[in-house]
Amino acid sequence: MRNKAGVAAPGEPWDAHPFSIGLPTSTDEVQAKVAGAESPQVGGEGGRDEETHQLAMPSYRPAVMVFLTKGQGHVQLRFVGLRGRSSRLYRLSGDGTPITARIPLPLGTKTIRFRVTTAGGRNAWTASVSPLRTVPRFQEEISGTGSDLVHYRGGPGPGVLHYAGPNRIQLEALDGSLVHRGSVVEGRAGEHAFQWPGRGYYQVRSSGAWNLSIAFPKADHCD
């Protein structure tokens, strides 16, 4: 499949679509204080402990958490002390490889608290804060696994979601603060047609492998 994933360049103009957002103009360095010490990231070993971890928010907004694991596996991450959709569970998976996932960070708080549970034993992980330009972007097609944040650079029109995994998958449109705006498509394993509202940031919530694309003409797109 053709994968147009990439990273947004610094200094891009703001998008006009209501689902789109501009890129931060402040410094890319994360200035964080966790437990009284300068720290751009926190980490742990996972497992099933109930420890609450704390990550300081940067001066710029909006921002994302970049979550990485050393080994393969499945991870559940849940924000603590928040209300509404921001407190929801994020299921992260590397589909046989170490996990790299982006998670929208909430506004209006100086620190964010969260808990991490890894399936099948301990798995070393790190969580750090990054600007929006670290979010994978695409115009035609992108693939991934587990929950992640993506930046669609195409226009409104028909799209296709392919999903191979357990449970249901959801694609959600986010507003300019990376807050949930509405569900675009959801379903179980298989192929699902939907309409892209337009360029902008989208949250994928899933437990398995997925592919998002525009609806290619039959003659132009081959598996």
Side-chain angles (χ1 to χ4, degrees):
M1 294 183 177
R2 292 170 291 176
N3 194 322
K4 303 298 183 182
V7 204
E12 281 192 24
W14 284 60
D15 297 325
H17 191 272
F19 282 158
S20 65
I21 91 176
L23 298 173
T25 57
S26 58
T27 177
D28 295 338
E29 295 183 3
V30 177
Q31 299 297 326
K33 272 190 177 180
V34 179
E38 294 291 339
S39 174
Q41 67 179 29
V42 294
E45 292 293 330
R48 303 195 66 82
D49 67 55
E50 293 299 318
E51 181 180 358
T52 298
H53 303 274
Q54 181 171 286
L55 185 63
M57 296 289 283
S59 57
Y60 56 82
R61 297 289 198 282
V64 299
M65 175 192 289
V66 177
F67 188 92
L68 308 172
T69 62
K70 184 176 181 180
Q72 64 184 36
H74 297 270
V75 171
Q76 294 184 353
L77 183 149
R78 186 188 295 275
F79 291 133
V80 176
L82 299 176
R83 295 181 180 179
R85 302 185 73 90
S86 294
S87 64
R88 288 179 56 177
L89 178 70
Y90 288 84
R91 294 182 174 90
L92 311 177
S93 170
D95 194 26
T97 63
I99 296 169
T100 300
R102 275 77 24 179
I103 300 173
L105 288 173
L107 303 177
T109 180
K110 293 183 179 180
T111 59
I112 185 70
R113 295 185 299 133
F114 61 97
R115 291 176 180 167
V116 175
T117 302
T118 59
R122 296 189 175 274
N123 188 355
W125 58 267
T126 60
S128 59
V129 178
S130 291
L132 291 180
R133 72 182 189 188
T134 59
V135 175
R137 78 174 192 177
F138 69 106
Q139 189 165 346
E140 294 183 351
E141 184 175 11
I142 191 170
S143 296
T145 185
S147 297
D148 207 352
L149 182 66
V150 297
H151 186 187
Y152 174 56
R153 299 292 294 168
V160 180
L161 165 65
H162 293 270
Y163 180 52
N167 306 315
R168 298 178 69 84
I169 185 172
Q170 271 188 302
L171 178 66
E172 302 172 344
L174 308 183
D175 69 9
S177 298
L178 297 187
V179 174
H180 176 269
R181 179 164 184 150
S183 179
V184 178
V185 63
E186 62 178 291
R188 297 191 178 275
E191 179 179 310
H192 305 277
F194 67 95
Q195 288 289 318
W196 287 106
R199 62 171 55 191
Y201 290 87
Y202 292 83
Q203 173 74 57
V204 179
R205 292 183 180 274
S206 88
S207 303
W210 48 265
N211 175 273
L212 285 168
S213 71
I214 61 174
F216 292 99
K218 295 294 184 181
D220 295 344
H221 187 223
C222 298
D223 294 329

